[in-house]
Amino acid sequence: MEPKGDIAVIGLAVMGQNLILNMNDNGFTVVAFNRTVSKVNDFLDGEAKGTNIIGAQSVEEMVANLKRPRKVMLMVKAGEVVDKFIEMVLPHLEEGDVIIDGGNSHFPDTIRRTKMLEEKGMLYIGTGVSGGEEGARKGPSIMPGGSPKAWPLVKDIFQAISAKTDSGEPCCDWVGENGAGHYVKMTHNGIEYGDMQLICEAYQLMKEGLGLSTDEMHEVFTEWNKGELDSYLIEITRDILGYKTEEGEVVVEQILDTAGQKGTGKWTGISSLDLGVPVTLIGEAVFSRCLSALKDERVAASKVLKGPGTSFEGDKKVFVKDIEKALLASKLVSYAQGYMLLREAAKEHGWNLNYGGIALMWRGGCIIRSTFLGKIKEAFENNPDLHNLLLDDWFKGVIDDCQASWRKVVQEAIRLGIPVPAFTTALAFYDGYRNPRLPANLLQAQRDYFGAHTYERLDKPRGEYFHTNWTGRGGNTSASTYTV
Ligand code: 2AM
């Protein structure tokens, strides 16, 4: 009998199950397999009852049920487990078959695996899948990268199951070679860290600075979600602030203020340091989570260390509008930084990234989905060679409109002693980026003074290095120049 399976999915945790059900809804025949085989039977007797999903009890059975070229998707824990399954599946596959990793793998692993499988004549895809459990079931944002020849083989399935924009475009397209898909997903998560931190800073300013109640803040977020900030994260924040138990308890105010993290924000920060790109907002967002985790220390310090002892004395309504603008301007900076990182990573790894397409993939299904991403897509449509999003007309216009409010919010937060690291670093970046003369001349002088590291001069061509004998001692020997 001819095999019927269009694709196999290994890993029946919630994401895997939901993705399989989504594929089934879209008319694809999926073969399901899991390490703990009893879960295959549980799935077939439960959620998958009455569907066309085929359960496999072994890797052999799974492969035997697949049409050629075979497609095997892993929805398992990132790390060694992925390598283990690749090793298990590989002997049963043949040239031209595709293995797809849909987990949150770190991009260097995906680069390594793509190379290894291509050397054996197989194809590999590492894909970001974003949108959580609900996204997986109803339409996630899917960011595939890997072997370019594999894309036409999975395109129909992936684009069918992905989220769609309001105009019906799939939030899934080919990202680029080897680790590009997982890199873009990692950057997405980093940007998500930034967006969340900005929202939390706005919340704290309104709560501590203005003394607004959760009900009042619920109203504010309801309004914000109707404007430029319209997005999934603003929407859920609105709902969280409006959520009360039957007993009237405001749950968000009972939650311990220590943030967890799984590491993708940290990876983004590390990659930006490796590549030398100032992705400052995501960095601050990661560090803010770290600071929040020092709960006991903070509680102890709060009894010793003093703040300014000032309180807000303006028009609260006006200031809420200022915060909205500060949030929008900071968010623009964060996305501009994220895209700077993508550009540098593309250069480093030889990826041919489609920047507008990436914004489109994030437009629906994923955690950072927002109307604003449509503007990023437009910016790259207007100018495919756009060097920095901040230089796009729409972005520039928004910043011009928000700038006064943004500065006012940062000043007021500092005056009140309320930490707003993401708002602040965004503004500092903006002021640094638009400044043609930063104080790095002094820094180079210091480096040359203590380490003879040399410097370039304004009045000489780039690449010519000079050394000054600053002290009159130590001679004229210079250390070699190097850039880290
Ligand atoms: P399990 O149901 O047998 O635990 C998410 O955790 C998915 O990854 C599940 O399908 C889980 O299989 C699988 N998984 C986690 N750790 C694993 C391991 N060490 N080996 C194989 N599969 C693993």
Side-chain angles (χ1 to χ4, degrees), residues 54-224:
I54 301 168
Q57 308 290 317
S58 64
V59 170
E60 289 83 350
E61 194 185 334
M62 178 189 80
V63 173
N65 270 296
L66 286 175
K67 293 182 208 163
R68 291 185 167 90
R70 303 180 187 94
K71 295 150 209 106
V72 177
M73 182 161 188
L74 306 175
M75 289 302 294
V76 296
K77 218 168 103 185
E80 284 170 14
V81 180
V82 173
D83 291 309
K84 201 177 99 180
F85 273 113
I86 291 174
E87 262 173 52
M88 261 173 82
V89 173
L90 207 51
H92 304 279
L93 299 183
E94 54 188 31
E95 232 178 278
D97 288 346
V98 191
I99 296 180
I100 304 144
D101 170 20
N104 249 341
S105 292
H106 198 196
F107 72 95
D109 288 335
T110 307
I111 293 176
R112 168 177 61 78
R113 289 167 186 149
T114 307
K115 184 165 180 284
M116 189 268 283
L117 280 150
E118 285 182 349
E119 280 167 3
K120 294 183 194 303
M122 313 282 168
L123 303 173
Y124 192 71
I125 289 182
T127 183
V129 179
S130 175
E133 295 170 17
E134 198 186 327
R137 183 70 186 86
K138 294 184 182 159
S141 159
I142 307 179
M143 298 153 246
S147 315
K149 280 188 196 151
W151 176 230
L153 306 177
V154 299
K155 185 176 173 186
D156 287 350
I157 302 178
F158 279 16
Q159 292 197 332
I161 65 167
S162 75
K164 308 288 179 300
T165 63
D166 292 341
S167 48
E169 292 161 294
C171 297
C172 169
D173 204 347
W174 184 245
V175 175
E177 299 80 355
N178 56 62
H182 274 136
Y183 194 90
V184 165
K185 171 63 170 32
M186 176 195 80
T187 307
H188 160 283
N189 284 28
I191 290 175
E192 175 186 316
Y193 272 56
D195 277 356
M196 291 168 77
Q197 175 64 24
L198 288 170
I199 292 173
C200 290
E201 291 178 13
Y203 155 78
Q204 196 173 17
L205 272 174
M206 287 190 276
K207 188 172 96 162
E208 278 194 14
L210 306 183
L212 298 195
S213 67
T214 41
D215 283 341
E216 287 169 317
M217 287 187 280
H218 167 74
E219 290 305 319
V220 170
F221 277 92
T222 304
E223 284 311 305
W224 287 1

Side-chain angles (χ1 to χ4, degrees), residues 392-402:
D392 170 74
D393 284 346
W394 183 83
F395 273 71
K396 186 187 168 309
V398 172
I399 299 261
D400 287 347
D401 175 52
C402 294

Side-chain angles (χ1 to χ4, degrees), residues 291-309:
L291 181 60
S292 81
L294 306 177
K295 172 78 176 175
D296 294 343
E297 277 184 55
R298 289 190 287 113
V299 170
S302 72
K303 299 184 176 112
V304 184
L305 305 177
K306 282 200 170 59

Side-chain angles (χ1 to χ4, degrees), residues 350-366:
W351 297 327
N352 184 21
L353 296 183
N354 169 2
Y355 298 103
I358 291 166
L360 186 68
M361 281 178 245
W362 294 345
R363 180 72 188 76
C366 64

